[in-house]
């Protein structure tokens, strides 16, 4: 369903894997982590246990690279039966720090799309993750000047979006959210009565996966690239 552009006042953008590349760096760190611990367990089982640990830690640590590092260390202790060495823990920390220091390149068309839309709408970033990590990525991206407001959220639920819309002093049908995750970026917004544009990324964390048939058939659409937004909102 096409958004009603006559009503839209604010467009929210997810950050990771919507504005810049992120998830592939997590996957690369996971791969190196499995290689480091291959003497204890095979890659498939390590990844399975890592995912369980991450999900179990979400309520305590939230999202982001630092939470991921803690889950890596906890998983190493589990899969090694407590035999993981101090040297291996040090290497895990080095993997995490390297990921945090990684430059996250912008996805194609991002500056052009933001420059065009910023002249017609209030643009915001609505992303979840670690505060320092996301602030660093935004600063390094060179696109922060396009945004009226930056919201780094502990999670993306209907309640979080409701509070965001209240802060922006807009009604749900005046808000359009753009993101790669149906679960976090689109579903909560359309349930509130807002609009969503889903732009899939080729790598998605399994915790964020929602099947298309599970989505309400209203108030959102899927595009292949960010630049396809422009003809819709012109």
């Amino acid at each position: 369903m096409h958004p009603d552009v006559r009503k839209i006042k604010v467009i929210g953008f997810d950050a990771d894997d919507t504005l810049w590349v992120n998830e592939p760096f997590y996957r690369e760190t996971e791969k190196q982590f499995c290689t480091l611990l291959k003497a204890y367990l095979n890659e498939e089982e390590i990844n399975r246990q890592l995912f369980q640990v991450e999900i179990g830690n979400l309520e305590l640590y939230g999202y982001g690279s630092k939470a991921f590092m803690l889950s890596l260390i906890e998983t190493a202790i589990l899969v090694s039966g407590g035999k993981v060495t101090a040297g291996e823990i040090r290497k895990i920390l080095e993997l995490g720090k390297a990921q945090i220091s990684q430059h996250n390149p912008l996805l194609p068309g991002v500056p052009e799309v933001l420059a065009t839309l910023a002249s017609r709408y209030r643009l915001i970033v609505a992303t979840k993750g670690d505060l320092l990590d996301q602030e660093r990525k935004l600063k390094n991206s060179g696109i922060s000047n396009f945004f009226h407001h930056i919201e780094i959220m502990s999670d993306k639920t209907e309640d979080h979006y409701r509070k965001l819309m209240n802060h922006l002093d807009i009604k749900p049908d005046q808000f359009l959210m753009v993101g790669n995750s149906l679960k976090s970026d689109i579903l909560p917004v359309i349930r509130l009565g807002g609009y969503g544009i889903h732009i899939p990324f080729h790598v998605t964390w399994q915790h964020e996966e929602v099947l298309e048939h599970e989505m309400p058939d209203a108030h959102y659409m899927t595009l292949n690239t960010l630049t396809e937004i422009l003809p819709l909102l012109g």
Side-chain angles (χ1 to χ4, degrees), residues 80-213:
S80 69
K83 296 178 182 178
V84 64
T85 67
E88 288 166 334
I89 295 293
R90 177 180 54 79
K91 290 180 180 178
I92 293 169
L93 289 171
E94 289 173 354
L95 288 176
K97 289 179 180 179
Q99 178 174 309
I100 292 172
S101 301
Q102 176 72 47
H103 172 69
N104 297 76
L106 292 175
L107 287 165
V110 167
E112 296 81 5
V113 168
L114 296 179
T116 301
L117 295 180
S119 64
R120 307 171 191 170
Y121 305 92
R122 275 192 291 163
L123 306 186
I124 71 164
V125 171
T127 187
K128 62 185 179 184
D130 177 75
L131 178 62
L132 289 177
D133 196 21
Q134 295 300 74
E135 286 181 339
R136 185 182 302 109
K137 291 177 190 175
L138 189 62
K139 180 180 179 181
N140 293 338
S141 71
I143 57 174
S144 59
N145 59 302
F146 290 116
F147 298 108
H148 165 79
H149 176 73
I150 309 295
E151 189 80 12
I152 300 174
M153 308 153 86
S154 59
D155 203 351
K156 287 181 170 179
T157 64
E158 289 179 46
D159 189 50
H160 287 91
Y161 281 109
R162 186 181 294 109
K163 290 177 181 177
L164 174 60
M165 293 178 201
N166 288 339
H167 176 74
L168 296 169
D169 194 26
I170 56 171
K171 298 176 181 178
D173 65 358
Q174 296 173 322
F175 182 66
L176 168 66
M177 184 65 190
V178 180
N180 68 296
S181 170
L182 287 171
K183 180 178 179 180
S184 292
D185 302 322
I186 309 302
L187 187 55
V189 172
I190 64 176
R191 281 178 171 168
L192 290 171
Y195 292 94
I197 292 181
H198 176 225
I199 304 177
F201 190 67
H202 67 281
V203 182
T204 302
W205 187 31
Q206 63 189 98
H207 179 62
E208 295 292 332
E209 292 176 355
V210 174
L211 298 177
E212 288 276 358
H213 73 264

